Amino acid sequence: MRFVLQVFGVALMLSGGLWALQGLGLVMWPAESFMLAEQRWALYGTITFLIGLLLFWRAARRR
């Protein structure tokens, strides 16, 4: 279960990071994405990243 939570946490961190960077307009890929330069997606991405970080941290502390 610990490994699954860590993998899921990393997946959330990666996707949240991408969403945040797209929302901030720093990553303009893919060109047809509806998330590009939309600040609400930067917020959603940051929240998703933090949830993934929390999952990963909690799983790492688990015995």
Side-chain angles (χ1 to χ4, degrees), residues 19-61:
W19 294 352
L21 292 174
Q22 285 178 327
L24 292 171
L26 298 174
V27 173
M28 301 300 278
W29 172 84
E32 64 276 353
S33 177
F34 59 90
M35 295 184 210
L36 301 178
E38 290 285 333
Q39 286 194 352
R40 76 180 142 160
W41 282 102
L43 176 64
Y44 298 159
T46 302
I47 292 169
T48 303
F49 180 87
L50 291 174
I51 291 170
L53 184 63
L54 180 66
L55 274 177
F56 185 83
W57 179 73
R58 297 267 317 228
R61 291 180 40 104

